Amino acid sequence: MPVPAGGHYLYGFVRSGDLPAKLGEGGVGLPPGPVECLAEGGVAALVTPLGPERVAPRRANLLAHADVLNRAFERATVLPLRFGFVLPDEAAVRHEIASRAGELAGLLDALQDRVEMHLSALYREERLLGEVLAENPAIAAAQRRLRGLPVAATHFERIRLGERVAQAVDAKRAADGAAVVRELERLSAAVAPEDPRHEHMVVNASFLVARDRLDEFDAAVERVSRERAERMHFRLLGPRPPHSFVDAARPLAGAR
Amino acid sequence: MAVAPTGTNNYLQRQSSPSGLADVLNVILDKGLVIDIYLRVALVGIELLTVDARIVIASVDTYLRFAEAVNRMDLTQVGQQQTLPELVENLQESTAKKRTRGVLEGAKEKIFGDDEDEGQSEGGETRRARARSASGGASSGSSRASGSRSSGSRSSGSRSRSSSKS
């Protein structure tokens, strides 16, 4: 369904009064449009009034969406929207806020002084495959048998070997990933695990962390990753807006 | 090589902001609040990209990659895992890594030669592991030439030599 031109592009919601009404340029659009904070009752929407053009999912617009949210997040509790929502006009924005005021206010309370930290970890490949071979004699035997044989003649056997390796990796991932999450869970208000995005990925999860526990969380990540340094390498991204924790259906541990 | 210097490490990378479009896409396309009453910008191409990234893990391509990777593995590393300094060295000096692999491949060929050795592989693994520690790992670039996998025939002499080591 085509999106009509014009309207108000939405980034997310904040509490009324946390941010000024005008937030400068840097929004979506070409040239970058003005970012405004449109208050309705206790909740305000971050918006850019669009000109006649349509917002396309181009690089500049995607980055602008994230950038507006990140800048708001530095000064306020923010509920991020996904990219790409446009309402027809200001009245529709106000109606959207009013019609879900309770839900939005509840989320703003629950997420106050909390940030999202994203942790991912990849297995180091040689170590991972070494473990798989050591722990699965049948896979090691198949590997030895296929080793000198021509690739073309053993295509399907190789697929089966790879599938067994993938299954072994899955089992390791489940155990290793859960162990990492367990160690960090007690420092977090909530955890949002995600599917692995890479075949060597062992951890891929967002943690909702209170600002005053960030040092503690960081130290725990340092320890957890150092203990596993030979097997995995980690990346810790954040603090960032709570993208993964604004789903009202996801319970927040200790939410107020 | 010594362990990585204090202050930096090769096991944890910290980033306060997303490092590129991929990081941004990961959060703003399918995480966050939604509005269900109006219209969303057409995202067809981008959504396909993210879906592809998710399903690729359980695919024949992945299996073939795993099979190839596991076939590249030298069994000497099994039961004798690399130490951290070795890993650091491997990560930082790819040429050294190639050399190491060349030596290991060469050693394997010398010891195993061809398929007739499969029956004694269990003992062979420990022999190879010993042979590797005895030779002190990667030392000579000249073994690289002998690391070629294609020839399985230059075996028996080397094999007996390595047996005598163990």
Side-chain angles (χ1 to χ4, degrees):
Chain A
M1 193 164 21
V3 179
H8 276 51
Y9 183 89
L10 257 75
Y11 304 92
F13 302 99
V14 296
R15 254 190 218 95
S16 291
D18 274 5
L19 295 175
K22 303 285 184 189
L23 290 163
E25 309 297 313
V28 298
L30 196 67
V35 182
E36 298 176 3
C37 191
L38 198 58
E40 173 70 27
V43 178
L46 295 167
V47 301
T48 290
L50 299 171
E53 82 279 14
R54 292 188 175 85
V55 174
R58 286 196 313 266
R59 178 187 177 87
N61 287 334
L62 292 158
L63 293 174
H65 180 99
D67 190 50
V68 167
L69 289 171
N70 286 333
R71 280 188 286 142
F73 171 68
E74 286 171 12
R75 297 194 277 163
T77 305
V78 57
L79 309 178
L81 275 166
R82 298 179 190 197
F83 176 85
F85 288 105
V86 179
L87 291 175
D89 52 29
E90 184 180 321
V93 176
R94 294 189 183 282
H95 180 264
E96 174 71 16
I97 296 174
S99 66
R100 58 199 294 191
E103 175 206 348
L104 297 177
L107 277 171
L108 284 165
D109 284 349
L111 294 169
Q112 180 167 355
D113 299 322
R114 289 172 166 175
V115 302
E116 178 169 326
M117 301 295 292
H118 184 264
L119 184 69
S120 57
L122 295 176
Y123 283 117
R124 299 184 191 277
E125 182 179 63
E126 291 197 0
R127 172 73 185 234
L128 169 69
L129 297 178
E131 290 177 8
V132 167
L133 288 169
E135 293 160 8
N136 299 275
I139 292 177
Q143 181 236 25
R144 281 192 299 271
R145 200 167 52 77
L146 283 175
R147 211 164 167 152
L149 302 177
V151 171
T154 54
H155 180 71
F156 293 103
E157 282 173 86
R158 283 172 197 273
I159 290 177
R160 276 195 296 278
L161 170 62
E163 188 174 4
R164 286 157 85 179
V165 173
Q167 284 163 356
V169 169
D170 276 346
K172 295 178 78 69
R173 182 197 335 269
D176 290 333
V180 169
V181 169
R182 238 186 347 263
E183 296 223 30
L184 300 173
E185 215 164 19
R186 58 185 185 82
L187 298 170
S188 315
V191 183
E194 297 162 39
D195 291 337
R197 289 195 309 271
H198 185 281
E199 59 213 40
H200 297 148
M201 193 167 263
V202 54
V203 178
N204 188 24
S206 292
F207 298 84
L208 185 67
V209 183
R211 281 192 190 273
D212 59 11
R213 297 195 85 173
L214 269 178
D215 286 348
E216 210 180 332
F217 184 82
D218 187 86
V221 171
E222 169 72 30
R223 177 178 52 77
V224 163
S225 57
R226 193 177 53 236
E227 286 168 1
R228 292 160 175 78
E230 292 187 24
R231 306 182 61 223
M232 311 166 191
H233 52 99
F234 289 75
R235 189 179 75 143
L236 181 62
L237 183 58
R240 71 183 187 188
H243 298 273
S244 308
F245 300 99
V246 288
D247 184 350
R250 190 188 298 284
L252 297 177
R256 280 160 282 179
Chain B
M1 170 178 288
V3 180
T6 320
T8 65
N9 63 58
N10 72 340
Y11 55 83
L12 176 59
Q13 178 195 2
R14 290 181 176 86
Q15 281 179 253
S16 56
S17 53
S19 62
L21 194 58
D23 281 338
V24 170
L25 293 182
N26 276 330
V27 291
I28 71 174
L29 285 186
D30 61 359
K31 296 188 193 70
L33 282 174
V34 298
I35 290 177
D36 55 10
I37 59 163
Y38 199 57
L39 299 166
R40 200 173 178 198
V41 172
L43 293 174
V44 177
I46 294 186
E47 282 179 339
L48 284 179
L49 274 181
T50 57
V51 169
D52 282 350
R54 250 173 254 134
I55 60 170
V56 76
I57 291 173
S59 72
V60 167
D61 279 349
T62 300
Y63 299 155
L64 285 172
R65 259 201 309 282
F66 266 133
E68 192 205 337
V70 85
N71 279 326
R72 277 201 314 266
M73 285 293 293
D74 195 285
L75 285 172
T76 47
Q77 289 173 1
V78 179
Q80 190 202 342
Q81 299 292 359
Q82 288 180 303
T83 62
L84 180 58
E86 274 178 290
L87 276 170
V88 173
E89 192 170 335
N90 284 350
L91 284 171
Q92 293 181 350
E93 298 175 13
S94 60
T95 52
K97 180 177 177 180
K98 281 179 197 146
R99 211 155 55 228
T100 306
R101 179 169 285 163
V103 170
L104 297 178
E105 294 273 343
K108 182 198 79 74
E109 299 259 337
K110 283 174 191 162
I111 295 161
F112 266 143
D114 48 39
D115 286 341
E116 67 182 330
D117 290 307
E118 202 175 304
Q120 47 173 277
S121 56
E122 293 305 316
E125 275 173 38
T126 38
R127 273 213 311 278
R128 273 178 297 156
R130 277 190 219 125
R132 185 188 174 217
S133 27
S135 70
S139 52
S140 153
S142 65
S143 311
R144 217 169 156 180
S146 68
S148 135
R149 198 184 290 178
S150 54
S151 102
S153 57
R154 79 178 98 78
S155 47
S156 54
S158 322
R159 203 183 310 153
S160 56
R161 201 174 52 207
S162 73
S163 306
S164 71
K165 261 185 195 170
S166 56

